[in-house]
Amino acid sequence: MTRQKINLKSKAEIEIMKEAGNILAHIFQLLEEKVAPGVFGDEIEEIAVREIKKHGVISSFQNYQTYREGVPFPSVICFSVNDEIVHGFPFRKEIREGDIVSIDFAIKHKGFHADSAISVGAGKISETAEKLIKVTKESLYQGIKEVQIGNRMGDVGFAIQNYAEKNGFSVVRDLVGHGVGRSIHEAPEVPNFGKKGEGMKLIAGMTLAIEPMINEGNYYINCEDEDQWTIRTEDGKLSAHFEHTVAVTTAGCEILTEIK
Ligand code: MF3
Ligand code: CO
């Protein structure tokens, strides 16, 4: 793997990212409350598109192209249901009672990106689904607690993994969080697993998207969907995903994608 430079952000740049994160968090409230049985992913996409226009921001995902030759990402939200881990499309997908709906959404505002994700249960959901959503969200906060100057990336990954596995779930290995700033994906990688005391030291000015993807069954992924994007669990069991953009500052860790 090539080593890439880490773009440290100034206080002023972190302030802009906080503005971006705040707009994103407000839009997420609208997306979350729309999730219900009978609603189509298209309707949630529509709300996101409308809010992007209203706030004068840009979608980070739409038309995103990987290094592969292939389909540019078609929507502004990723909409992934049940065994779909990430990168699902919202189109023509009706939400059913009991579904876990994962929405991943990011925007660019004044040149800087903010990236976040939530999983929401639709109507009455199974106990397992309920627990998976709760544990995945809490694992993110366990990781965020370790984001402190002087700690290492492995401390963050360990905290997430330890919490998820203690609760009987598994951590996806092949997809990781990332630095975020003027680009949606920057160095460094932020794995959701690791060993205490290992990996890069965290330093002031880093801005990171931490995004645990936690599976009910094993951690293997299936990338063979013909849409070239949707990533599923290999065993067909459930998955959940939560993400926040955070900044490492001398005051500790600041969550940028929560409503202030
Ligand atoms: N949460 C994923 C990420 O932050 C979503 C990427 S969707 C894509 O990497 F379209 F940008 F690929
Ligand atoms: Co991300």
Side-chain angles (χ1 to χ4, degrees):
M1 200 177 60
T2 49
R3 269 179 199 279
Q4 277 177 296
K5 191 175 160 293
I6 291 169
N7 302 317
L8 297 177
K9 280 77 178 181
S10 67
K11 276 200 174 132
E13 288 172 330
I14 290 173
E15 281 309 308
I16 297 173
M17 289 185 65
K18 207 185 292 180
E19 274 177 34
N22 204 42
I23 295 168
L24 189 67
H26 276 97
I27 302 176
F28 257 107
Q29 279 193 323
L30 304 174
L31 306 183
E32 179 169 9
E33 67 192 30
K34 185 73 187 173
V35 173
V39 173
F40 277 79
D42 313 69
E43 297 172 73
I44 297 177
E45 167 79 5
E46 238 170 70
I47 295 171
V49 168
R50 182 193 77 204
E51 292 298 312
I52 281 175
K53 285 207 192 94
K54 193 173 111 189
H55 290 279
V57 296
I58 296 167
S59 162
S60 307
F61 295 163
Q62 194 165 42
N63 297 321
Y64 186 93
Q65 189 106 40
T66 52
Y67 60 88
R68 297 173 299 176
E69 260 199 58
V71 188
F73 195 76
S75 47
V76 304
I77 59 169
C78 298
F79 187 87
S80 311
V81 181
N82 294 335
D83 66 317
E84 297 172 350
I85 303 171
V86 285
H87 301 174
F89 301 165
F91 308 123
R92 296 173 298 282
K93 267 188 196 160
E94 185 177 1
I95 300 170
R96 292 162 311 169
E97 180 99 28
D99 282 348
I100 296 182
V101 177
S102 298
I103 301 172
D104 190 347
F105 180 43
I107 57 166
K108 184 166 148 186
H109 162 76
K110 298 184 182 170
F112 286 88
H113 296 265
D115 190 3
S116 190
I118 56 170
S119 290
V120 190
K124 190 168 167 35
I125 62 174
S126 70
E127 250 173 61
T128 307
E130 184 95 56
K131 183 178 174 197
L132 181 63
I133 291 173
K134 257 177 92 175
V135 167
T136 305
K137 184 172 188 176
E138 180 56 28
S139 77
L140 170 60
Y141 284 96
Q142 293 287 321
I144 288 173
K145 254 201 248 167
E146 296 299 319
V147 178
Q148 303 290 340
I149 291 170
N151 271 9
R152 290 178 182 272
M153 207 60 95
D155 297 318
V156 178
F158 175 81
I160 295 169
Q161 180 182 8
N162 185 45
Y163 188 80
E165 290 180 353
K166 218 171 55 188
N167 281 283
F169 297 132
S170 68
V171 176
V172 172
R173 303 285 199 276
D174 294 338
L175 303 160
V176 295
H178 49 93
V180 52
R182 288 193 185 275
S183 299
I184 181 69
H185 295 139
E186 298 185 349
E189 291 192 343
V190 183
N192 301 298
F193 52 91
K195 294 205 172 79
K196 273 188 195 173
E198 288 192 356
M200 175 184 299
K201 260 196 179 159
L202 302 180
I203 50 180
M206 282 181 165
T207 44
L208 306 171
I210 306 180
E211 50 179 319
M213 290 146 273
I214 307 297
N215 291 354
E216 175 194 2
N218 71 42
Y219 59 69
Y220 297 109
I221 68 171
N222 172 337
C223 303
E224 272 143 38
D225 196 283
E226 62 180 37
D227 71 15
Q228 296 185 37
W229 277 101
T230 307
I231 298 178
R232 294 191 166 75
T233 57
E234 195 194 62
D235 58 13
K237 294 190 175 176
L238 299 171
S239 188
H241 180 207
F242 280 85
E243 176 175 21
H244 272 310
T245 297
V246 307
V248 186
T249 71
T250 47
C253 172
E254 227 184 312
I255 302 177
L256 305 180
T257 43
E258 265 180 351
I259 287 172
K260 285 282 140 52

